[in-house]
């Protein structure tokens, strides 16, 4: 029995699959075109890689909520037709039709499709298209993309990862030629008909997802955990160590290597806990608990400014008090936060 | 307590970290150059992306063993100096110095470094460089790369994944310019000094690793499992379903989506079991057990020719008898095989 990801662990931010991706429809041009001009279709506007949002009044929980601005076909038709625009088919709504809907009887009801529109048109002009006030494009990605509802965060994760890929991979890495967008924005095809990328299946045509290990390292005494800070972190903030999985490496080995590289601490047992897509730019965070077999810390000064063992009590206080000047943990939307919380709640028995 | 990957599950093929990658040395040009000309340094020769091997007599276990051909600096010096050659620093041996070694007393002993040399020189000419007989470059990748010892398989996984990346990503995907190799072959830098890829950190400069979910789907009755076959499989062979993790997707959601896409079966609980690097070309296989919540099969004809529920007994017979004409399972080097074996051994309690 496995209650890791239920109970103690909440659903992770960016993880809700609000839409049904219907990946088989990506190659169905007729269907896609019909959906594009359907009046029920929902369009999201991205200025390059960031979505247009409207900021809502702070609600009772005193949290700011950003909502995706939604557009209809007529409002974005001109943009879609521009050759430089990237149109991504995100999927269709999972919800059932309203029982009163007459199309249901006729059998013609289909759940609305969603598309992301990536454009490099002037951002100020784009904002004028929205009927709502307080609209803007969140800029420096990290913190600014953590203010969505759970439903919308999942959609942003998908759309932003794909758009960032288009933004950085518009040339064929195999031959340097231009490429064109295909399959509802989930493929790029090389325009050079002689290119090797067109023969057989290889990964250059498909969006890139970078797997990253992120781990809470537990002290051999089981009562302390290892957190580190990068120079770029706000004062007092510490978080889990993390690093890119390298070619030819399994998850557990990447955990051991990155922990030793960054902190000098050796790790034995590694246990996978949960994963989270992280669309800055397009990572898959693979969250683990790891049991240290040594305790001496020697940080890799390039990456980590400081690493330290923290007691359960220090962590619990920081989690419950919120703002603790001595130790600030990453926000609840991060898998780092959830790994730390998991360890505190589950008594650290791996 | 967690015995998943010990006990029942053996170490997975391609997963042994025989070398210490010492990634911090990749930026140390002086150190790297000193290692290159060191007489103890080991070089592996790759004809593009496949390693030169010598085939050994079938040993007692009647299994063929392929061994990597090892070269010294003097034997490959000319190749290394060619501008088109790709030189990859793989790491240093983990083994301790021999106690008799005089350099140990002087404190100057260092474990030998290993490099992979990727070249497009004529393969027949390359083979003449080897002192051993029966040398060749295994061609169609899959089955041919499954004949190494555990130690060497891990090295091949690392080297081949990186070389395949160089082979397919020699142009900058952001601007289409040429790129040059850096950091011991673990980075490519765009030669266009204006390129965006040189500002900030993005993934275009780094080797690509594609995360893939591979899952054994267990029937709600816990006594059957779902296997499928691609058209390209040998007659009678069935394996686990698998698929690429998409942008903006967590591991568990990718499992649910791929199973439903490929077989029509719906999945509830998903449990991570183990992972395996798979260097064809550069995947990270993430192995899971998944509990079905529906049983009707409807295959996606594009990808899967047939999918079927198999009883524990059918699986056990195939595992133990070896060649069973009715059901052939993938070889023991694959994570698919190990997931199936795990399920049989562990009584299927997730
Ligand atoms: N796919 C990738 N994307 C971004 N940076 C990478 C990637 N792979 C390796 N790196 C390097 O890894 C560093 C971050 O270290 P770490 O996250 O600990 O692996 C970055 O500064 C890059 O130099
Ligand atoms: N990174 C990738 N490398 C290769 N094929 C991919 C990749 N991403 C998506 N695909 C597509 O996925 C198909 C295989 O399906 P699946 O393994 O079930 O996801 C391939 O035929 C490609 O069309
Ligand atoms: Mg790293
Ligand atoms: Mg690191
Ligand atoms: Mg790191
Ligand atoms: Mg599939
Ligand atoms: Mg797929
Ligand atoms: Mg598949
Ligand atoms: Zn090309
Ligand atoms: Zn460039």
């Amino acid at each position: 029995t496995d209650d890791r990801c239920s109970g103690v662990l909440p659903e992770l931010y960016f993880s809700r699959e609000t839409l049904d991706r219907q990946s088989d429809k990506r190659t169905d041009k007729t269907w896609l075109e019909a959906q594009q001009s359907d009046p029920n279709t929902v369009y999201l506007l991205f200025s390059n890689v960031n979505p247009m949002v409207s900021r809502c009044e702070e609600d009772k929980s005193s949290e700011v909520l950003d909502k995706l601005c939604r557009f209809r076909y007529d409002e974005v038709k001109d943009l879609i037709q521009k050759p430089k625009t990237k149109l991504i088919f995100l999927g269709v709504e999972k919800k059932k039709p309203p029982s009163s809907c007459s199309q249901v009887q006729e059998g013609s009801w289909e759940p609305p499709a969603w598309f992301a529109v990536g454009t490099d048109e002037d951002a100020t002009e784009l904002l004028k298209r929205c009927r709502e006030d307080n609209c803007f494009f969140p800029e420096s990605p990290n913190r600014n993309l953590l203010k969505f509802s759970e439903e919308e965060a999942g959609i942003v994760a998908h759309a932003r990862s794909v758009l960032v890929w288009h933004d950085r991979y518009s040339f064929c890495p195999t031959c340097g030629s231009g490429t064109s967008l295909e399959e509802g924005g989930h493929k790029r095809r090389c325009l050079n008909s002689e290119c090797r990328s067109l023969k057989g299946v290889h990964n250059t045509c498909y969006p890139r997802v970078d797997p990253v290990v992120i781990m809470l390292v537990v002290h051999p005494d089981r009562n302390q955990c290892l957190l580190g800070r990068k120079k770029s972190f706000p004062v007092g903030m510490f978080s889990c160590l993390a690093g890119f999985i390298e070619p030819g490496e399994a998850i557990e080995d990447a955990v051991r290597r990155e922990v030793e590289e960054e902190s000098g601490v050796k790790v034995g047992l590694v246990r996978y806990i949960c994963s989270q897509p992280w669309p800055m730019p397009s990572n898959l965070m693979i969250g683990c608990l790891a049991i240290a077999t040594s305790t001496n810390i020697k940080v890799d000064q390039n990456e980590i400014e400081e690493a330290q063992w923290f007691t359960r009590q220090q962590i619990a206080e920081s989690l419950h008090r919120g703002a603790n000047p001595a130790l600030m943990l990453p926000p609840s939307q991060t898998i780092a936060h959830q790994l730390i919380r998991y360890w505190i709640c589950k008594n650290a028995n791996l």
Side-chain angles (χ1 to χ4, degrees), chain A:
Chain A
T1 65
D2 186 339
D3 59 352
R4 278 180 238 160
C5 283
S6 58
V8 173
L9 271 185
E11 180 186 44
L12 288 166
Y13 193 77
F14 285 133
S15 298
R16 171 123 13 132
E17 292 285 305
T18 307
L19 302 175
D20 174 349
R21 293 179 183 230
Q22 301 221 341
S23 64
D24 58 321
K25 295 295 203 311
R26 293 174 190 161
T27 45
D28 187 341
K29 281 198 180 167
T30 321
W31 186 89
L32 279 180
E33 271 167 27
Q35 295 302 311
Q36 277 178 42
S37 53
D38 189 299
N40 290 317
T41 291
V42 177
Y43 287 92
L44 307 175
L45 266 188
F46 287 72
S47 179
N48 289 308
V49 297
N50 292 316
M52 191 190 297
V53 303
S54 70
R55 176 145 295 176
C56 298
E57 297 288 298
E58 311 199 0
D59 69 3
K60 286 143 211 156
S61 66
S62 85
E63 299 261 349
V64 174
L65 192 71
D66 285 345
K67 281 176 73 173
L68 291 167
C69 301
R70 302 178 184 196
F71 295 85
R72 298 294 168 187
Y73 179 62
D74 285 340
E75 300 168 307
V76 293
K77 196 173 164 175
D78 58 317
L79 278 180
I80 292 175
Q81 275 148 9
K82 297 199 171 158
K84 289 180 79 181
T85 298
K86 287 137 196 159
L87 186 65
I88 319 295
F89 169 56
L90 298 174
V92 305
E93 289 178 22
K94 287 178 174 170
K95 70 169 183 228
K96 299 274 172 333
S99 54
S100 63
C101 175
S102 68
Q103 288 171 299
V104 177
Q105 275 89 43
E106 299 158 31
S108 66
W109 190 86
E110 285 198 74
W114 286 53
F115 289 85
V117 180
T119 165
D120 56 5
E121 302 280 303
D122 181 72
T124 322
E125 288 302 312
L126 289 172
L127 290 170
K128 290 186 190 152
R129 288 173 185 252
C130 192
R131 280 159 277 105
E132 291 172 85
D133 298 327
N134 306 320
C135 292
F136 66 106
F137 292 102
E139 285 239 331
S140 67
N142 274 304
R143 292 267 166 162
N144 271 323
L145 292 180
L146 302 184
K147 299 192 176 86
F148 293 103
S149 68
E150 299 286 337
E151 286 79 16
E152 293 200 339
I155 297 170
V156 171
H158 178 185
R160 191 177 196 278
S161 293
V162 174
L163 286 168
V164 168
W165 174 66
H166 288 300
D167 181 49
R168 295 284 176 154
Y169 286 80
S170 45
F171 292 87
C172 172
T174 304
C175 80
S177 302
T179 55
S180 68
L181 224 121
E182 285 194 346
E183 299 194 3
H186 289 80
K187 185 171 182 179
R188 295 194 75 96
R189 171 185 286 270
C190 181
L191 296 172
N192 164 12
S193 61
E194 303 289 297
C195 180
R196 283 189 294 149
S197 72
L198 302 176
K199 287 161 207 130
V201 174
H202 205 88
N203 65 17
T204 55
C205 302
Y206 299 101
R208 177 165 170 162
V209 172
D210 288 309
V212 173
V213 284
I214 178 161
M215 44 274 167
L216 186 65
V217 180
V218 179
H219 194 280
D221 73 9
R222 300 291 206 276
N223 272 319
Q224 297 173 71
C225 71
L226 182 68
L227 301 177
R229 47 175 283 109
K230 295 188 188 174
K231 293 193 186 92
S232 58
F233 280 7
V235 183
M237 181 155 135
F238 281 79
S239 186
C240 294
L241 303 180
F244 289 95
I245 295 186
E246 295 210 343
E249 202 173 42
I251 290 172
E252 294 74 10
D253 293 311
V255 169
R256 294 190 189 97
R257 180 186 49 73
E258 283 286 349
V259 171
E260 192 166 350
E261 283 178 10
E262 297 187 1
S263 71
V265 170
K266 287 188 198 300
V267 157
L269 201 64
V270 173
R271 183 176 165 195
Y272 169 82
I273 304 295
C274 56
S275 66
Q276 179 186 40
W278 191 254
M280 280 86 95
S282 182
N283 297 339
L284 171 67
M285 309 302 292
I286 302 177
C288 298
L289 286 196
I291 303 292
T293 55
S294 77
T295 60
N296 249 0
I297 293 172
K298 185 168 174 296
V299 297
D300 159 18
Q301 291 289 350
N302 286 327
E303 237 206 283
I304 303 290
E305 185 179 79
E306 196 185 342
Q308 205 181 304
W309 293 107
F310 291 91
T311 63
R312 270 175 189 285
Q313 202 189 334
Q314 286 175 300
I315 301 285
E317 272 175 24
S318 176
L319 278 177
H320 298 133
R321 286 227 200 106
N324 178 334
L327 169 61
M328 196 163 82
L329 296 173
S332 64
Q333 296 93 330
T334 63
I335 190 171
H337 179 105
Q338 298 303 335
L339 284 171
I340 294 168
R341 181 178 287 276
Y342 175 79
W343 175 64
I344 288 289
C345 298
K346 291 285 278 188
N347 261 322
N349 288 322
L350 273 202

